[in-house]
Amino acid sequence: MKALVYTGPEALVVTDCPDPVAGAGEVLIRVDSVGICGSDMHAFLGHDDRRPAPLILGHEAAGVIIDGPRDGERVTINPLVTCGTCKPCTTGRENLCASRQIISMPPREGAFAQLVAMPEGNLVTVPDHVTLDQASLAEPIACGWHTVRLSLDVLREEPREDLTALVIGGGPIGVGAALSLKAQGVTQVQLIEPNPIRAEYLNKRGFDVIAPDDLAESHMVDLVIDGVGYPATRATASAHTRPGGVIGHIGLGASEGGLDIRRMTLQEVTFIGTYTYTAQDFRDTCAAMFSGALGPLDWTETRHLAEGQQAFADIRGGSVPAPKIILKP
């Protein structure tokens, strides 16, 4: 098969690789659409020790099962593979499984390839009215869905239609979180995006986007979701969450700095760190997508897998208006 292989910092090449072999309980999927994630970018820049070269990256995928009783079935992929027997797995918190694996991280190769092998239980059937480009957005949106669900549970005694929310970051994680907030009943949602090209693109698609400098110092909200995770964005979250409010943290930009621990302590601001999603969150995200509750999902750009190196460079340079580039193997 052809695959886009990460060979070292800022280097990706399309080359021939062995076809994956489906293990027990697994099937082969011909990949149709696979999104570029922020974690792929971290690896591309050489900033992720968990993804050493050479490696096939990519974990936001949808495609078609080949061979077997489900041959020809269109599916989207939950890339998180867990043991199924530990306490987190048996209590519905599979994302915290100590032995979890995710495609695009050894020992599992990723989906920037023509084929990928996955356990059947990680697949969700895609209805005919949903394109596989749209279906490949399930993984990044599920990250925001999970964070919103956990954050709203803290605020469960307050009517959701009265809550205000601020999402930091207009990339796919932030956009997915904003859509998930609305789908879960929060109607007053603003999104902060510093790139004017991206902000204009999203405003035209109905998002309420502001620049960081447009955020008034006194502006307070019930819930802030940080989809970036740098010291500056955590500082913004700390400063603009009202007393008794919640910060839902998804971003993995940097490991330290930014939180105002004293203010959070004195004003009982809840901080929730979140990682990926549970299997049920993934299925719920898919159901919301398929029902139309997450909108038209029209904020993507597609390129051929062979254009992967340039796509990464364009994302890094900030010249891509769309929050998500989808590669087509």
Side-chain angles (χ1 to χ4, degrees), residues 273-298:
T274 67
Y275 175 73
T276 62
Y277 34 77
T278 67
Q280 188 60 53
D281 285 323
F282 190 88
R283 291 189 292 267
D284 290 344
T285 299
C286 290
M289 291 171 60
F290 301 161
S291 72
L294 295 174
L297 305 175
D298 59 351

Side-chain angles (χ1 to χ4, degrees), residues 90-106:
T90 57
T91 56
R93 304 186 75 185
E94 302 91 344
N95 58 318
L96 302 182
C97 173
S99 59
R100 68 191 179 222
Q101 299 175 351
I102 190 168
I103 59 173
S104 79
M105 192 181 297

Side-chain angles (χ1 to χ4, degrees), residues 47-247:
H47 296 166
D48 190 346
D49 293 338
R50 303 174 303 167
R51 291 178 166 89
L55 182 67
I56 303 173
L57 301 172
H59 59 270
E60 304 174 355
V64 179
I65 296 174
I66 58 175
D67 295 330
R70 298 176 69 180
D71 181 52
E73 186 176 327
R74 301 163 72 246
V75 294
T76 189
I77 296 171
N78 176 349
L80 200 65
V81 181
T82 58
C83 75
T85 59
C86 66
K87 183 175 180 179
C89 283
T90 57
T91 56
R93 304 186 75 185
E94 302 91 344
N95 58 318
L96 302 182
C97 173
S99 59
R100 68 191 179 222
Q101 299 175 351
I102 190 168
I103 59 173
S104 79
M105 192 181 297
R108 290 186 173 269
E109 298 279 8
F112 287 160
Q114 292 177 317
L115 298 170
V116 68
M118 289 299 300
E120 287 196 70
N122 284 61
L123 308 177
V124 175
T125 303
V126 178
D128 290 341
H129 71 277
V130 176
T131 70
L132 290 176
D133 284 359
Q134 293 170 323
S136 71
L137 295 172
E139 198 281 337
I141 295 177
C143 293
W145 185 277
H146 176 68
T147 303
V148 169
R149 178 178 65 80
L150 294 180
S151 300
L152 290 179
D153 187 57
V154 177
L155 299 168
R156 59 185 174 275
E157 295 181 2
E158 303 182 38
R160 292 188 178 185
E161 63 271 18
D162 294 339
L163 295 175
T164 55
L166 185 67
V167 178
I168 303 174
I173 296 298
V175 167
L179 292 172
S180 296
L181 280 162
K182 292 187 176 183
Q184 294 186 47
V186 181
T187 58
Q188 302 175 71
V189 182
Q190 279 192 312
L191 194 151
I192 300 177
E193 171 53 48
N195 184 332
I197 298 173
R198 174 72 53 78
E200 181 181 7
Y201 180 95
L202 291 173
N203 272 318
K204 288 180 178 178
R205 281 159 177 79
F207 293 88
D208 182 3
V209 186
I210 62 172
D213 291 343
D214 294 334
L215 185 63
E217 185 175 342
S218 60
H219 186 62
M220 293 287 174
V221 297
D222 302 296
L223 168 60
V224 178
I225 293 182
D226 185 350
V228 181
Y230 281 106
T233 59
R234 285 191 286 268
T236 297
S238 294
H240 293 281
T241 305
R242 54 90 166 161
V246 180
I247 298 171

Side-chain angles (χ1 to χ4, degrees), residues 246-327:
V246 180
I247 298 171
H249 194 272
I250 319 175
L252 289 172
S255 60
E256 297 178 356
L259 288 178
D260 184 343
I261 299 299
R262 181 176 177 82
R263 177 177 184 270
M264 292 171 63
T265 300
L266 293 174
Q267 299 190 351
E268 295 191 354
V269 172
T270 299
F271 177 91
I272 302 176
T274 67
Y275 175 73
T276 62
Y277 34 77
T278 67
Q280 188 60 53
D281 285 323
F282 190 88
R283 291 189 292 267
D284 290 344
T285 299
C286 290
M289 291 171 60
F290 301 161
S291 72
L294 295 174
L297 305 175
D298 59 351
W299 34 272
T300 64
E301 174 187 329
T302 59
R303 302 192 190 184
H304 192 274
L305 189 70
E307 301 174 276
Q309 172 81 37
Q310 187 61 51
F312 272 78
D314 290 345
I315 293 171
R316 186 186 184 193
S319 63
V320 181
K324 178 65 65 181
I325 289 182
I326 295 172
L327 299 180

